């Protein structure tokens, strides 16, 4: 087993992961925008979709949504705490009987036959955490898909600004007074992060060329018993499109959820989000803007792609 899988298993199986991840849309505006974009795409492509495989399904944000729309969903995730939370939420929504929960890693999908599912989805970048097996994982997701595939992966162009902005997440905090520990950390460390920042041309060029965030330092931390962030492979738009085409995906469309919102300061984003009409209109326009192929690489975190088999 390679380190990416081992690190992912340790990170996502932390006991609090299920609870924390289930509240992301209540905590961060970029998560609201990304999930809204994906939901719009899913609900506009449900005709003829009866069975769905959700790979890296987390706390069931989309498994439950699709089950509520009549789909039979296989909820597949590496994290048992997240699966447990997803079961709890599915029961509350009355769709527990529409979802099959499977604990597993995306690197191993051999239990599923070719063309087993009408639709295959994998959102919020679990594919990127399977480095160096990311292309094989994509090919396997395509193999088990019969009609339509939708995925989001870490965007290289979208991630490059992180190396020049150590406080990028602060821009998207919805409520600075909430109890979320990561929100508190972002606020508490803002000044130190700015003071300690030093632009490294070498670092940004390295990410640009190699596409890899993480590596030796994460492995070292893991070996010491720590819980590092996943080693992450970031994709260029043309790279992802070519991989999908190589394995038979047609009519590919791409998007960069969060590209428009990156242009706004936190104060205005919060104001928009707290007014229901402005929020609805804003999310609609974000979906329109972020779907433009000229900005797809600059999504806040993810590069979204979909196509037909």
């Amino acid at each position: 087993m390679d380190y990416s899988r081992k690190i992912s298993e340790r990170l996502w199986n932390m006991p609090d992961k299920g609870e924390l991840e289930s509240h992301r849309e209540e905590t961060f505006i970029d998560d609201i925008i990304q999930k809204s974009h994906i939901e719009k795409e899913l609900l506009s492509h449900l005709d003829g979709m009866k069975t769905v495989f959700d790979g890296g399904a987390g706390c069931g944000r989309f498994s439950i949504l699709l089950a509520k729309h009549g789909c039979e969903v296989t909820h597949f995730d590496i994290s048992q705490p997240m699966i447990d939370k997803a079961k709890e939420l599915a029961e509350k929504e009355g769709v527990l009987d529409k979802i099959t929960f499977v604990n597993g890693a995306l690197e191993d999908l051999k239990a599923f036959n070719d063309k087993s599912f009408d639709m295959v989805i994998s959102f919020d970048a679990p594919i990127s955490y399977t480095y160096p097996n990311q292309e094989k994982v994509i090919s396997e997701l395509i193999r088990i898909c019969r009609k339509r595939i939708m995925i989001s992966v870490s965007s290289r162009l979208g991630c490059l600004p992180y190396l020049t902005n150590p406080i990028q997440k602060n821009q998207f905090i919805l409520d600075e007074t909430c109890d979320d520990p990561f929100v508190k950390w972002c606020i508490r460390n803002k000044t130190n992060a700015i003071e300690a920042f030093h632009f490294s041309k070498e670092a940004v060029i390295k990410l640009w060329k190699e596409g890899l965030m993480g590596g030796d330092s994460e492995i070292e931390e893991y070996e010491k018993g720590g819980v590092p962030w996943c080693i992450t492979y970031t994709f260029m738009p043309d790279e992802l499109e070519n991989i999908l085409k190589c394995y038979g995906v047609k009519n590919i469309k791409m998007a960069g959820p969060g590209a428009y919102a990156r242009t706004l300061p936190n104060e205005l984003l919060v104001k928009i989000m707290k007014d229901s009409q402005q929020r609805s209109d804003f999310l609609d326009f974000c979906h329109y803007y972020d779907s433009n192929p000229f900005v797809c690489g600059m999504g806040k975190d993810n590069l979204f792609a979909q196509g037909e088999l």
Side-chain angles (χ1 to χ4, degrees):
M1 187 190 301
D2 58 59
Y3 274 101
S4 289
R5 180 167 169 181
K6 291 194 290 187
I7 290 171
S8 290
E9 286 178 340
R10 183 176 293 177
L11 174 66
W12 299 117
N13 278 286
M14 293 288 287
D16 62 350
K17 277 298 178 184
E19 190 62 32
L20 288 175
E21 291 295 311
S22 69
H23 293 288
R24 280 173 58 182
E25 282 183 85
E26 302 167 17
T27 309
F28 291 104
I29 297 167
D30 51 337
D31 287 304
I32 294 171
I33 293 166
Q34 179 170 264
K35 301 301 190 296
S36 173
H37 186 108
I38 292 171
E39 179 173 316
K40 286 177 168 61
E41 291 298 328
L42 282 173
L43 296 183
S44 64
H45 291 91
L46 280 186
D47 286 351
M49 303 299 169
K50 297 180 180 179
T51 58
V52 180
F53 177 88
D54 189 352
C59 297
R61 171 62 171 83
F62 298 112
S63 295
I64 293 170
L65 172 72
L66 293 171
K68 290 172 72 173
H69 281 79
C71 297
E72 296 287 342
V73 184
T74 295
H75 176 113
F76 186 92
D77 201 271
I78 200 170
S79 166
Q80 191 58 49
M82 287 199 195
I83 289 175
D84 293 341
K85 186 63 180 181
K87 287 181 178 179
E88 174 191 325
L89 296 174
E91 186 171 19
K92 287 181 180 178
E93 294 294 330
V95 293
L96 192 59
D97 62 328
K98 301 284 288 183
I99 304 176
T100 300
F101 296 91
V102 181
N103 188 315
L106 286 177
E107 292 92 334
D108 183 8
L109 299 179
K110 63 178 179 292
F112 302 101
N113 294 328
D114 295 0
K115 302 185 183 302
S116 295
F117 304 92
D118 293 328
M119 180 185 284
V120 169
I121 63 176
S122 180
F123 299 133
D124 211 10
I127 292 168
S128 285
Y129 305 149
T130 65
Y131 173 85
N133 300 306
Q134 66 276 2
E135 183 171 341
K136 180 183 177 183
V137 168
I138 292 173
S139 73
E140 280 289 279
L141 290 170
I142 295 170
R143 177 185 65 79
I144 66 175
C145 181
R146 184 160 50 245
K147 296 180 180 179
R148 177 169 292 275
I149 185 166
M150 292 188 183
I151 61 175
S152 64
V153 299
S154 292
S155 167
R156 189 173 312 177
L157 294 173
C159 287
L160 278 164
Y162 292 173
L163 300 186
T164 317
N165 184 5
I167 58 170
Q168 56 83 24
K169 199 66 176 178
N170 293 64
Q171 179 185 0
F172 296 96
I173 294 173
L174 182 58
D175 179 8
E176 292 190 350
T177 66
C178 74
D179 292 329
D180 184 90
F182 185 50
V183 169
K184 291 181 177 180
W185 183 90
C186 288
I187 296 170
R188 186 172 62 249
N189 287 276
K190 180 178 179 179
T191 300
N192 289 338
I194 293 171
E195 292 177 351
F197 171 73
H198 174 78
F199 178 73
S200 171
K201 179 181 177 181
E202 293 76 15
V204 294
I205 292 297
K206 187 174 188 294
L207 177 58
W208 178 281
K209 290 182 177 180
E210 299 177 3
L212 195 63
M213 298 182 70
D216 291 342
S217 60
E218 283 73 17
I219 292 171
E220 182 179 358
E221 184 179 346
Y222 173 88
E223 289 293 350
K224 291 179 179 178
V227 187
W229 186 256
C230 304
I231 298 171
T232 306
Y233 183 79
T234 63
F235 289 78
M236 294 291 280
D238 57 343
E239 175 190 13
L240 179 59
E241 184 175 15
N242 288 336
I243 292 172
L244 293 170
K245 285 181 178 177
C246 177
Y247 292 101
V249 180
K250 303 171 185 175
N251 300 322
I252 299 167
K253 295 181 180 179
M254 307 182 78
Y260 186 66
R262 294 186 98 148
T263 67
L264 301 177
N266 174 260
E267 293 86 351
L268 293 181
L269 288 171
V270 170
K271 184 175 182 178
I272 290 168
M273 287 293 126
K274 289 187 175 181
D275 181 284
S276 60
Q277 187 59 57
Q278 289 189 65
R279 175 175 173 146
S280 177
D281 291 345
F282 181 70
L283 292 175
D284 284 346
F285 184 73
C286 282
H287 177 255
Y288 181 78
Y289 182 98
D290 297 345
S291 296
N292 189 296
F294 290 102
V295 302
C296 70
M298 278 302 291
K300 170 61 174 56
D301 290 297
N302 284 187
L303 172 62
F304 175 86
Q306 63 173 305
E308 302 168 352
L309 274 299

